[in-house]
Amino acid sequence: MPGMGNSLRAAALLAFVVLSILVSLLISSVQQFGARISHFSNATLAGDEGESASLRGALIYQLNERRKEIIPLLLPDDGGDENGLPGESGDSSQLGQALDSTLDYSLWKEITHGSRKAHMDEMGCDSLVDMQAVEVLGSGYTKLVVKVNLAGGQPVALKLVNEQGIDMGKCVEDFKDAQGCRELVSYKLKKEIVLLQRLQHPNVIKLKGHCAGDAEGRGGEGRRVTVILEQGNPLQMIQLLQSPWEDRFRVCLDLVRLLHFLSQSPLGSVALLDFQPRQFVTVSGELKLTDLDDASAEETSCRTDADCTLQFPHRNFTLPCSAQGVCEGLSEKRNIYNAYRYFFTYLLPHQAPPGLTHLVDHIMNSTGELKADINQTLEAFENILLLYKSGLHLDNVPPSIIRDYTVMRGMGTSGNVEYRCWPSYSQQGCVLSVHSVKEAAYICNSHSQCNSFTLTGQKTWTGRLLASFRSSFSHLVPDGTSEVYVKKTKAPDTKEQTKQS
């Protein structure tokens, strides 16, 4: 079948070339930072000057509306500036009235002009010189996310305006101004930069820098905006469902810690309006929120409790309207229930350790019915973590269980006859995390195929040990980092096995 092999190789080569070209085209806007474009100079349509002036006015109005969305987020760290936002002359008086000394002028200047003078440890436009595109990580209505390797080899993720996205296409169709539309669409990126600056947390993706101009830092409102983020792996729910309970619990715990922070963030209580697993990535096993442009710190005003209804596909909840005329805890409760229906339901109960199932069930009930606030929910998760790490949930396992095993310290095994268990850290055998030898012996006793297990000193993120369980092995081999435990009825002659090896 040589012909078929050649065809497959040709098809693979063609796919690679097409992908390379696509990536090059998609990130071309990032590499054209030196282009000088006159804002709104080519916005007019051929013919009707009045219509084009009307379109310009409508586009400027939209730009001002986007600016006003960002203004409440420009809170000071240690003081403000009375000069307002740059480039606002000629904007509506309503916008001008909103600009006062409480705004963080320096942050806005960095975003619109690409200034890095105040943050020399962050990456700027010059960091993107000689970068190499690796792959497109995702694309949506507004943004494109590309993985690149910087000149020094460091991988990062870049977010930029999706020139072929629906938002950009609709804007150009409505206003006939590609450059003005690029600025309008880029306001989601600018908002995200502000939020990433304000909402710094271990479970929020790290902002490494941004570029709003060319390699020399020359920028302005009309320049392309690129956000530089730490590189993460998209959250794969199907893969996560097949992972050990400990890893699934970690994702849920990280999420609750994040929601606890958002409930009392520097911006107030923040709601994640687009709450989906696709908004998250993992970095070294740690969950991180990577998409913040749909986060909102706005409070919901109300007159009665009926104005404070949370509506979900299969449930509705009514929260109290406070004396101040705002819905109490609306953002917090929205986040909790979304965590329950998108994460906890799928990841938390299945294969939970028997000694912890009652605590897991309590969390499922309290979050699914919104009976607990985020403080109580976090406390419940931290309590499970404490019990799981300390082994206190194993009180019903008798210490004498290890007497059924003979231990060979400083030894490993070879010629193993493996069996599979689920969920396992290894697809080829049965590798589980244990708190101690006692728990490993308990697990081995509960598996009819198990006759021995090995502890190597490898640990999980909780500090628990990884234990390998097997049906049998052919001989022992010296290994200073391992301990082999064999059921006494199956224990081999250590000296004889060592001679044979």
Side-chain angles (χ1 to χ4, degrees):
M1 303 284 287
M4 179 176 292
N6 292 334
S7 298
L8 291 175
R9 284 192 293 271
L13 178 60
L14 177 61
F16 176 79
V17 171
V18 170
L19 178 62
S20 300
I21 294 174
L22 176 61
V23 172
S24 299
L25 288 174
L26 290 175
I27 69 164
S28 61
S29 59
V30 186
Q31 298 171 327
Q32 297 171 355
F33 296 113
R36 293 183 174 274
I37 303 173
S38 177
H39 189 53
F40 295 130
S41 63
N42 297 317
T44 60
L45 297 172
D48 194 342
E49 292 289 338
E51 181 181 356
S52 58
S54 176
L55 291 175
R56 282 200 304 273
L59 180 55
I60 290 174
Y61 173 80
Q62 291 296 325
L63 287 167
N64 287 337
E65 290 300 303
R66 299 294 82 74
R67 287 188 180 98
K68 285 189 284 185
E69 289 180 9
I70 296 180
I71 285 173
L73 306 177
L74 295 172
L75 303 175
D77 289 327
D78 50 5
D81 192 299
E82 297 183 357
N83 293 326
L85 300 185
E88 300 297 338
S89 59
D91 291 342
S92 65
S93 58
Q94 184 180 8
L95 177 64
Q97 293 172 2
L99 303 176
D100 56 33
S101 59
T102 64
L103 301 183
D104 190 338
Y105 170 86
S106 62
L107 179 55
W108 180 261
K109 183 176 179 181
E110 289 177 16
I111 294 172
T112 55
H113 293 274
S115 170
R116 301 261 47 87
K117 295 180 180 178
H119 301 276
M120 297 303 293
D121 58 324
E122 293 185 2
M123 297 177 179
C125 299
D126 56 345
S127 302
L128 303 180
V129 176
D130 296 328
M131 66 182 179
Q132 297 292 323
V134 178
E135 62 178 316
V136 177
L137 296 176
S139 62
Y141 285 11
T142 305
K143 295 170 292 186
L144 180 71
V145 185
V146 182
K147 178 181 178 181
V148 303
N149 289 332
L150 302 182
Q154 180 183 359
V156 296
L158 302 184
K159 280 190 180 182
L160 54 150
V161 169
N162 186 353
E163 301 283 346
Q164 307 301 319
I166 291 178
D167 285 354
M168 186 68 177
K170 189 176 187 305
C171 180
V172 172
E173 180 182 347
D174 291 343
F175 299 112
K176 311 298 188 293
D177 182 352
Q179 177 55 36
C181 285
R182 186 177 294 109
E183 180 185 342
L184 180 64
V185 175
S186 73
Y187 264 91
K188 278 203 171 185
L189 292 173
K190 294 177 181 178
K191 178 183 177 182
E192 196 157 9
I193 293 172
V194 176
L195 288 171
L196 287 169
Q197 291 272 13
R198 298 305 187 204
L199 302 177
Q200 296 183 39
H201 185 266
N203 298 115
V204 175
I205 201 73
K206 183 179 179 181
L207 175 67
K208 287 186 169 291
H210 72 275
C211 177
D214 55 26
E216 282 72 40
R218 296 188 298 268
E221 297 249 4
R223 295 292 183 176
R224 289 176 171 86
V225 177
T226 302
V227 187
I228 309 172
L229 304 170
E230 68 177 323
Q231 172 61 37
N233 298 313
L235 191 65
Q236 302 290 345
M237 288 298 286
I238 294 179
Q239 179 180 343
L240 198 55
L241 289 170
Q242 302 172 18
S243 301
W245 180 85
E246 186 172 326
D247 290 348
R248 288 182 273 126
F249 175 77
R250 181 183 189 181
V251 168
C252 296
L253 174 63
D254 284 345
L255 180 58
V256 171
R257 287 172 172 171
L258 170 64
L259 298 186
H260 180 264
F261 165 73
L262 293 180
S263 71
Q264 50 191 19
S265 79
L267 300 178
S269 184
V270 175
L272 302 179
L273 301 182
D274 187 12
F275 199 120
Q276 299 278 351
R278 65 172 177 267
Q279 310 293 346
F280 297 86
V281 298
T282 57
V283 178
S284 300
E286 190 172 38
L287 185 75
K288 291 178 182 280
L289 176 64
T290 188
D291 205 339
L292 280 79
D293 63 307
D294 288 313
S296 174
E298 294 183 10
E299 292 183 323
T300 301
S301 59
C302 59
R303 293 185 178 181
T304 67
D305 291 354
D307 298 326
C308 302
T309 300
L310 279 175
Q311 295 182 335
F312 298 98
H314 303 292
R315 291 293 306 272
N316 293 333
F317 300 93
T318 299
L319 302 179
C321 178
S322 70
Q324 291 73 34
V326 296
C327 297
E328 292 184 359
L330 191 72
S331 296
E332 177 182 323
K333 292 299 180 72
R334 182 196 304 274
N335 288 342
I336 290 175
Y337 192 75
N338 277 327
Y340 163 80
R341 68 189 187 115
Y342 285 117
F343 287 85
F344 302 166
T345 298
Y346 302 104
L347 303 180
L348 204 53
H350 311 296
Q351 297 292 317
L356 299 175
T357 52
H358 67 291
L359 298 176
V360 171
D361 290 342
H362 173 73
I363 287 177
M364 296 302 295
N365 180 59
S366 63
T367 56
E369 298 295 330
L370 287 185
K371 296 178 180 178
D373 60 25
I374 192 61
N375 291 330
Q376 295 166 325
T377 303
L378 178 60
E379 182 179 355
F381 269 89
E382 296 289 1
N383 182 47
I384 288 179
L385 177 64
L386 174 63
L387 294 174
Y388 189 64
K389 292 174 66 174
S390 64
L392 293 176
H393 65 295
L394 300 171
D395 287 344
N396 62 331
V397 180
S400 59
I401 195 171
I402 61 175
R403 298 174 187 170
D404 299 336
Y405 291 82
T406 298
V407 59
M408 279 75 74
R409 304 186 190 281
M411 304 297 292
T413 62
S414 182
N416 299 327
V417 178
E418 308 281 2
Y419 68 91
R420 294 184 180 182
C421 62
W422 187 87
S424 171
Y425 283 92
S426 171
Q427 296 181 353
Q428 308 304 319
C430 185
V431 180
L432 303 173
S433 76
V434 297
H435 171 262
S436 61
V437 175
K438 182 177 73 171
E439 184 178 7
Y442 176 79
I443 292 174
C444 189
N445 283 358
S446 67
H447 293 177
S448 60
Q449 311 97 310
C450 183
N451 286 309
S452 67
F453 60 88
T454 300
L455 299 177
T456 64
Q458 288 182 290
K459 297 182 179 181
T460 66
W461 66 275
T462 61
R464 287 166 56 93
L465 299 168
L466 285 180
S468 300
F469 301 88
R470 68 188 63 83
S471 297
S472 62
F473 55 89
S474 62
H475 56 276
L476 295 168
V477 294
D479 186 341
T481 64
S482 297
E483 297 177 351
V484 179
Y485 292 80
V486 185
K487 285 184 178 179
K488 288 184 176 179
T489 56
K490 300 288 184 179
D493 187 327
T494 306
K495 295 181 180 179
E496 183 65 26
Q497 293 284 5
T498 304
K499 290 179 181 179
Q500 293 177 6
S501 63

